[in-house]
Amino acid sequence: MSDQAGTEVQPVAKQIIKCRDDTDPVFFEDVDPPTTEPRLFRLSESSTCAWAKKDEPFGAKELRPRIEPWLTSLVQSEHLSLLIGSGLTHAVHGLATCKPLPGMTPIVFEELNTEILKEVGRTAKAVGREDGNFEDQIRVATELLRGLEIIASTKSEDAPEHGQVSTLRSNLTAALQSFVDSILEGERNLVLMDSKQRERAFNYLVSFLMSFASRSGTRERLQLFTTNYDRYIEVGADTAGLRLIDRFVGTLAPIFRASRLDVDLHYNPPGIRGEPRYLEGVVRFTKLHGSVDWLDCDGAIRRIGLPFGATDTAPFLSAPGLEGSDAARLMIYPNAAKDRETTAYPYVELFRDFAASICRPNSTVVCYGYSFGDEHINRVIEDMLTIPSAHLVVIAYGDPLDRIISTYERLGRHAQITLLIGDHLGDLQTLVDNYLPKPAIDRTTFRMAELLKARWGTGPDDGGRNETPPAKEEDQV
């Protein structure tokens, strides 16, 4: 289950931070009464730490020197992966429209609705949710449909099971079409907004992506994973000039390839002999739960030319070669098109890429807007943390169901986990303005730091604000 179908996370007053030498998560909250600008905080009653005093307020100015250098060093790890959940889509949509994303109402099936709802509630409770959501209903109904198809295949033509299969399949197709329409509406809202608001939202989206994609030519590519079905990341990459490399090959109708093709872009630095270096501005991209523009057609997965924010999918599904395609053939997980032997295709290939990318030494995984509601993803992350040099960074706007904290406690490898949770620490605008690494490969800053270190020694860095050399011993009184 992805976070795409979830409801909007409501703001919370409590913030949680754990980074650098923190041995336990530090809780802090707004001062009482809350301030406006700049926003100030104080430690919660139950928290203590070495970098803040109990009754002294602090804000982004005090938090930045603690967070930004730490994140900057982590994103320059040998292997860097970024896992994005629906939190990014909610954030960008909110910046542009000041409204929540369109949601999906529960489905009422004409056949076996009571049985479906009962199983939805059971499976939702098993993964820590109080109520099932739209995706849970789709998953259960899909499994039930397959079972009914097996039973109906052994019955006569006039058996009631055939009618149940037909009705349930029709309900599923209609529900998936409605789901696709809500995703496209969220894209369309971004496109149709006032140009200034849209440009502001795009600027923050681009800066967010570039903070992780800005890796030097000697570092491996950023591995970008998402559970979202929408194309916010793709449109942000286009705006930023990033080139996304995925498993699709082709121009007019790209086709998904089961064998991973490591086609990449390199260059030979002038005057330097040896291995070529990676070309900048390239990212490896994987949509773990499929996409609104992926179509199962004639035994292959193709990416169709569905415009961002299209008002209707029908004209793009009626192109030559796509006859008979409908919403049930769109590859959004879980999908209803499961009438082939390879029912796990292409998702099994995508999760193999995910596991192979993050379960390596000296690997850092940054999660943004992901609520840890997908056990199949959590298991891979847990395996990654068995490698002592691996590190996990969790950035989230909130944790209303305590999934993140409970996962943190269960994993037990606290020294390998960084937490930034709350409506301040996890806010997209605040992150970009204060805490994320500079969205550029900035060698000038590195050279300046080395120069100042050579001139004045290894004293505390004041950010270059004071370049007066320390007094010599003979000048001291």
Side-chain angles (χ1 to χ4, degrees):
M1 192 230 25
S2 80
D3 296 334
Q4 179 71 41
T7 57
E8 183 187 19
V9 177
Q10 296 299 319
V12 293
K14 186 166 290 186
Q15 318 293 320
I16 306 174
I17 180 175
K18 182 194 171 296
C19 71
R20 295 174 62 164
D21 55 352
D22 292 329
T23 56
D24 297 297
V26 178
F27 295 79
F28 59 94
E29 55 199 17
D30 290 278
V31 298
D32 189 18
T35 57
T36 52
E37 292 295 337
R39 191 173 176 184
L40 296 177
F41 307 95
R42 64 180 179 187
L43 290 178
S44 299
E45 292 296 328
S46 58
S47 290
T48 58
C49 64
W51 49 269
K53 295 183 179 180
K54 202 67 174 179
D55 296 321
E56 288 188 4
F58 57 90
K61 181 180 179 181
E62 289 75 22
L63 288 169
R64 175 178 166 81
R66 183 159 191 83
I67 298 174
E68 191 272 338
W70 179 248
L71 293 182
T72 300
S73 63
L74 285 174
V75 300
Q76 289 303 325
S77 299
E78 184 176 352
H79 309 296
L80 176 65
S81 299
L82 175 62
L83 173 61
I84 293 177
S86 66
L88 180 66
T89 303
H90 280 284
V92 176
H93 186 275
L95 279 173
T97 67
C98 299
K99 298 178 181 178
L101 274 170
M104 280 297 299
T105 58
I107 313 166
V108 178
F109 292 94
E110 298 178 32
E111 290 285 349
L112 303 171
N113 188 65
T114 301
E115 290 79 0
I116 291 173
L117 291 179
K118 185 176 180 179
E119 178 63 13
V120 165
R122 186 192 68 81
T123 55
K125 186 176 180 180
V127 296
R129 290 193 303 274
E130 295 180 1
D131 300 307
N133 59 23
F134 173 84
E135 287 182 326
D136 293 320
Q137 288 185 289
I138 293 293
R139 185 187 66 253
V140 171
T142 300
E143 294 171 352
L144 178 58
L145 175 62
R146 184 55 184 151
L148 287 174
E149 288 174 339
I150 295 173
I151 295 174
S153 66
T154 64
K155 303 292 184 178
S156 60
E157 292 291 335
D158 57 349
E161 286 80 4
H162 289 285
Q164 288 179 324
V165 167
S166 177
T167 302
L168 188 55
R169 184 184 292 118
S170 176
N171 290 165
L172 270 171
T173 300
L176 286 169
Q177 183 62 61
S178 180
F179 188 31
V180 169
D181 290 342
S182 70
I183 296 171
L184 293 176
E185 182 184 352
E187 295 182 350
R188 192 161 55 251
N189 290 344
L190 181 64
V191 175
L192 297 179
M193 278 308 299
D194 176 76
S195 59
K196 289 185 177 180
Q197 290 178 267
R198 183 176 65 247
E199 183 178 351
R200 176 170 172 266
F202 271 118
N203 286 340
Y204 277 102
L205 175 59
V206 167
S207 295
F208 175 85
L209 294 175
M210 291 301 296
S211 292
F212 301 97
S214 299
R215 289 168 63 79
S216 63
T218 57
R219 298 289 183 182
E220 189 189 46
R221 304 293 190 199
L222 168 68
Q223 305 276 349
L224 177 55
F225 301 93
T226 182
T227 58
N228 297 343
Y229 308 121
D230 58 66
R231 278 94 43 93
Y232 273 55
I233 294 176
E234 290 94 314
V235 75
D238 286 351
T239 305
L242 290 174
R243 181 182 178 90
L244 301 179
I245 298 178
D246 55 20
R247 279 178 171 267
F248 285 87
V249 177
T251 302
L252 293 178
I255 187 170
F256 184 92
R257 294 297 183 187
S259 58
R260 184 168 184 173
L261 302 177
D262 289 325
V263 178
D264 212 331
L265 302 176
H266 299 76
Y267 75 100
N268 291 312
I272 298 179
R273 300 178 60 184
E275 293 293 328
R277 297 186 180 182
Y278 290 114
L279 192 66
E280 296 171 7
V282 180
V283 173
R284 293 192 177 277
F285 183 48
T286 303
K287 303 191 79 168
L288 294 172
H289 285 173
S291 180
V292 72
D293 58 355
W294 292 9
L295 186 69
D296 178 8
C297 180
D298 293 331
I301 309 300
R302 294 187 179 276
R303 187 170 61 219
I304 60 176
L306 183 65
F308 187 83
T311 56
D312 188 10
T313 58
F316 306 96
L317 298 179
S318 60
L322 304 181
E323 293 86 356
S325 299
D326 56 20
R329 289 288 167 181
L330 293 174
M331 301 305 293
I332 49 180
Y333 182 85
N335 69 309
K338 293 201 172 185
D339 55 356
R340 295 176 298 147
E341 293 181 1
T342 53
T343 56
Y345 183 78
Y347 308 114
V348 66
E349 310 293 340
L350 302 175
F351 279 95
R352 184 180 294 122
D353 289 349
F354 180 58
S357 296
I358 74 171
C359 295
R360 292 185 287 180
N362 303 312
S363 176
T364 294
V365 175
V366 180
C367 299
Y368 179 76
Y370 171 64
S371 65
F372 284 80
D374 295 317
E375 289 303 319
H376 48 290
I377 294 178
N378 299 348
R379 284 192 293 269
V380 179
I381 294 175
E382 184 174 357
D383 289 344
M384 178 203 73
L385 290 177
T386 61
I387 303 173
S389 59
H391 198 91
L392 173 66
V393 180
V394 181
I395 308 175
Y397 192 80
D399 187 22
L401 299 179
D402 290 329
R403 286 184 193 150
I404 298 175
I405 292 299
S406 61
T407 302
Y408 166 83
E409 296 293 346
R410 181 176 57 82
L411 293 177
R413 297 178 176 270
H414 300 167
Q416 296 174 249
I417 301 177
T418 293
L419 300 176
L420 297 172
I421 304 172
D423 66 333
H424 173 76
L425 295 174
D427 178 69
L428 179 64
Q429 182 175 346
T430 304
L431 273 172
V432 171
D433 288 343
N434 297 286
Y435 303 131
L436 289 184
K438 184 178 292 187
I441 300 177
D442 189 6
R443 299 193 181 280
T444 303
T445 301
F446 299 148
R447 285 195 293 266
M448 181 188 72
E450 293 174 356
L451 178 62
L452 292 176
K453 180 179 178 180
R455 284 181 176 177
W456 318 134
T458 57
D461 180 21
D462 63 359
R465 293 183 295 272
N466 181 12
E467 295 193 16
T468 303
K472 298 180 181 180
E473 291 185 4
E474 57 267 29
D475 296 333
Q476 295 178 348
V477 179

